[in-house]
């Protein structure tokens, strides 16, 4: 089955798509310039051949371990989790005996203590992911896990550590050089939220025996045409990535300030969290953007769908489906009459019916909706989805007139947190912090 975008209920006749379509030639020129200068490795993937060799060299090493503890946050963890949930679901099911991926993506003393209490260090590889090597939430965990490994493994501690960081600079690169720790690079100009198909996400994928070649090939199906040095405006205008971008920008012009990502592929639900960071961190700038809202079908039909259907009319929806999901067991024939409509039918038919009903109901409720219908739920299709949404996000940002590759507002919170921990410098941040903490507070017990 083919992978399809169904635009039937996208409300295109009410949106000024033509204004953005007219900019296809300008956008194509920008893509040619940016890819030619090496500033969009998400699309060009110049690192692919070298990475495949590095991963092949790692395969035997990773086979030694039963557990992988991934230390990372945001884009260093969300893609890996989405892939694990989609293609290694046995870890979350009863009786799991195979390899396990554990992701420490928060400042959570309970979880970090549990990992050290329960994981066998000799059978655990610790992967620390930070492009800059200075992400304190991640590097802070590294400091503690490093000491745990030293205490338990002695001089061999570094053999169970793997770093994913800048190729040349930063604290973690210094650790790799000082202790001989295995390290793979994060390519230049590849931001965390765009990095899942680099070493950041593919090391965990390799550990869990996923088809990495298929993931990369799927992404290339979308990216290669956009990275073509001869890309024309006409060709770009015909891509689904550009059409999604024009739709997203036109929606915001009409006051649609929320973008639902409704996943009716249960194992792919965590792609909603990955998309939320991608869309929010890329487009939420200068008072612009739309808030991404991950939702899971059918679970969220019974929770937030009431708001989607009958709340403020400011929502659009990307609706992810796959008609070829397994049927599963059949419902029994001897059901009570009130459930006669499912007698003998496959259990999997229910999610298809629920998805269709919700899609129709959203459309009838005035929610512009594009269905992303995957022909299968395999790794090639996942790579294709990653490529499509990443490219569409970049193009949406350009059409909005903002930079979709930075995240300036996020840095303020990081600097204030460092000021609270009394890091050197940061005089201005420390002054703001003191004023905030010394203000008269309106605090009331409940």
């Amino acid at each position: 089955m083919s992978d399809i975008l169904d635009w039937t209920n996208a409300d295109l006749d009410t949106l000024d798509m033509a204004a953005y379509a007219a900019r296809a030639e300008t956008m194509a020129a920008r893509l040619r310039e940016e890819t030619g200068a090496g500033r969009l490795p998400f699309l060009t993937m110049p690192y692919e051949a070298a990475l495949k060799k590095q991963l092949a060299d790692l395969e035997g090493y990773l086979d030694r371990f039963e557990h992988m503890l991934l230390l990372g946050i945001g884009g260093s963890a969300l893609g890996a989790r989405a892939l694990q949930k989609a293609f290694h679901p046995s870890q979350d099911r009863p009786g799991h005996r195979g390899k396990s991926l554990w992701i420490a993506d928060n400042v959570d003393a309970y979880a970090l203590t549990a990992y050290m209490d329960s994981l066998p260090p000799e059978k655990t590889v610790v992967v620390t992911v930070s492009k800059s090597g200075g992400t304190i939430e991640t590097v802070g965990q590294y400091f503690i896990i490093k000491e745990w490994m030293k205490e338990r493994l002695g001089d061999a501690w570094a053999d169970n550590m793997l770093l994913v960081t800048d190729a040349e600079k930063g604290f973690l690169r210094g650790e790799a050089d000082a202790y001989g720790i295995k390290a793979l690079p994060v390519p230049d100009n590849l931001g965390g939220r765009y990095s899942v198909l680099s070493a950041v996400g593919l090391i965990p994928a390799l550990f869990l025996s996923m088809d990495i070649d298929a993931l990369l090939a799927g992404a290339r199906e979308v990216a290669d045409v956009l990275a073509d040095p001869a890309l024309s405006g006409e060709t770009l205008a015909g891509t689904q990535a550009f059409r999604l971008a024009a739709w997203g920008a036109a929606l915001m012009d009409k006051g649609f300030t929320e973008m639902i990502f409704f996943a009716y592929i249960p194992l792919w639900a965590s792609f909603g969290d990955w998309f939320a960071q991608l869309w929010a961190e890329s487009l939420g700038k200068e008072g612009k953007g739309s808030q991404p809202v991950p939702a899971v079908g059918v679970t969220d039909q019974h929770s937030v769908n009431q708001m989607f259907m009958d709340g403020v009319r400011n929502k659009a929806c990307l609706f992810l489906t796959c008609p070829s999901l397994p049927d599963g067991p059949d419902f029994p024939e001897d059901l009570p009459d009130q459930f006669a409509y499912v007698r003998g039918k496959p259990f999997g038919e229910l999610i298809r019916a629920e998805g269709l009903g919700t899609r129709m109901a959203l459309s009838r409720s005035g929610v512009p909706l594009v269905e992303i219908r995957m022909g299968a739920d395999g790794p090639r299709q996942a790579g294709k989805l990653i490529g499509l949404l990443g490219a569409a996000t970049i193009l949406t940002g350009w059409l909005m007139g903002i930079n979709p590759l930075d995240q300036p507002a996020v840095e303020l919170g990081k600097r204030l947190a460092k000021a609270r921990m009394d890091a050197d410098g940061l005089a201005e941040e420390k002054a703001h912090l003191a004023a905030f903490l010394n203000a008269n507070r309106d605090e009331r017990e409940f």
Side-chain angles (χ1 to χ4, degrees):
M1 295 177 66
S2 299
D3 307 309
I4 299 291
L5 262 64
D6 186 341
W7 294 89
T8 307
N9 300 111
D11 287 1
L12 300 182
D13 55 338
T14 68
L15 302 173
D16 188 7
M17 295 278 287
Y20 291 107
R23 296 171 58 188
E25 189 58 59
T26 302
M27 292 294 104
R30 186 166 182 179
L31 276 170
R32 293 194 302 268
E33 177 185 354
E34 297 290 317
T35 55
R39 291 191 288 266
L40 287 179
F42 172 77
L43 295 178
T44 57
M45 290 191 276
Y47 57 83
E48 182 178 355
L51 176 60
K52 284 184 175 181
K53 183 179 185 309
Q54 291 164 338
L55 292 174
D57 292 342
L58 271 183
E59 196 162 4
Y61 166 76
L62 293 177
D63 283 345
R64 296 165 34 195
F65 302 105
E66 295 179 5
H67 301 275
M68 176 177 284
L69 176 59
L70 174 63
L71 311 180
I73 196 166
S76 298
L78 287 167
R81 176 174 282 117
L83 292 175
Q84 182 248 309
K85 297 292 186 182
F87 301 115
H88 193 68
S90 60
Q91 182 176 334
D92 300 323
R93 295 171 181 165
H96 175 64
R97 297 287 187 272
K99 293 190 173 187
S100 296
L101 172 66
W102 310 99
I103 299 177
D105 64 345
N106 205 345
V107 182
D108 182 349
Y110 286 117
L112 195 62
T113 301
Y115 293 136
M116 292 189 292
D117 286 346
S118 302
L119 290 176
E122 68 282 356
K123 297 179 181 179
T124 301
V125 58
V126 179
V127 180
T128 306
V129 183
S130 172
K131 164 70 171 171
S132 67
T135 307
I136 187 57
E137 300 91 344
T138 298
V139 176
Q141 293 186 108
Y142 168 79
F143 292 145
I144 294 169
I145 294 296
K146 175 182 174 180
E147 289 304 306
W148 173 65
M149 281 291 193
K150 282 183 173 181
E151 291 171 4
R152 302 291 294 273
L153 300 180
D155 292 342
W157 70 273
D159 295 340
N160 289 41
M161 309 291 275
L162 181 59
L163 305 177
V164 182
T165 190
D166 190 272
E168 298 180 356
K169 60 184 185 295
F171 172 76
L172 290 180
R173 179 53 58 181
E175 289 285 283
D177 295 341
Y179 299 107
I181 300 173
K182 288 181 172 59
L184 271 71
V186 180
D188 290 341
N189 300 313
L190 189 67
R193 58 190 179 274
Y194 295 97
S195 69
V196 58
L197 296 182
S198 71
V200 173
L202 294 186
I203 287 176
L206 176 67
F207 177 72
L208 298 176
S209 300
M210 295 176 201
D211 189 341
I212 288 168
D213 290 340
L215 283 165
L216 290 167
R220 280 211 170 276
E221 287 189 48
V222 173
D224 279 354
V225 64
L226 301 173
D228 186 346
L231 178 68
S232 68
E234 181 180 2
T235 299
L236 177 61
T239 66
Q240 294 304 296
F242 182 77
R243 200 173 193 214
L244 270 180
W247 182 67
L251 282 166
M252 287 180 249
D253 288 343
K254 293 280 286 186
F256 289 93
T257 56
E258 296 185 20
M259 179 64 76
I260 304 162
F261 185 88
F262 221 145
Y264 271 77
I265 306 176
L267 293 183
W268 287 26
S270 289
F271 278 109
D273 297 323
W274 169 81
F275 172 76
Q277 184 203 10
L278 174 72
W279 192 258
E281 202 165 79
S282 298
L283 305 183
K285 291 160 194 170
E286 303 175 19
K288 302 176 182 178
S290 63
Q291 177 66 44
V293 183
V296 181
V298 299
T299 303
D300 286 326
Q301 286 179 212
H302 296 266
S303 57
V304 292
N305 204 34
Q306 172 65 33
M307 177 63 76
F308 297 164
M309 298 281 193
D310 206 22
V312 179
R313 297 292 190 240
N314 66 340
K315 299 165 185 65
C317 182
L318 292 170
F319 200 90
L320 181 66
T321 67
C322 179
S324 63
L325 293 179
D327 283 339
D330 291 342
F331 287 103
E333 294 284 357
D334 58 346
L335 296 179
D337 287 346
Q338 70 185 100
F339 302 111
Y341 60 94
V342 298
R343 286 173 182 163
K345 294 178 181 176
F347 180 67
E349 186 62 28
L350 185 56
I351 194 170
R352 290 187 279 272
E354 297 268 17
L356 176 61
T358 301
R359 184 157 49 92
M360 291 177 62
L362 284 168
S363 298
R364 288 178 58 125
S365 299
V367 178
L369 181 149
V370 173
E371 181 189 8
I372 305 175
R373 188 164 65 247
M374 310 306 298
D377 61 339
R380 184 188 70 81
Q381 288 76 20
K384 202 169 178 181
L385 180 71
I386 290 167
L388 174 70
L389 295 177
T393 300
I394 291 169
L395 290 166
T396 303
W398 288 353
L399 290 172
M400 293 166 60
I402 55 98
N403 180 0
L405 302 176
D406 67 357
Q407 52 281 336
V410 174
E411 302 306 317
L412 174 59
K414 293 180 180 179
R415 293 197 306 274
L416 289 168
K418 289 180 180 179
R420 176 65 179 83
M421 299 297 287
D422 201 24
D424 290 340
L426 302 171
E428 183 179 354
E429 288 81 0
K430 288 178 180 178
H432 289 313
L433 186 67
F436 182 85
L437 294 176
N438 292 327
N440 292 326
R441 313 214 69 79
D442 183 359
E443 299 177 339
R444 309 182 190 204
E445 189 172 331
F446 70 94

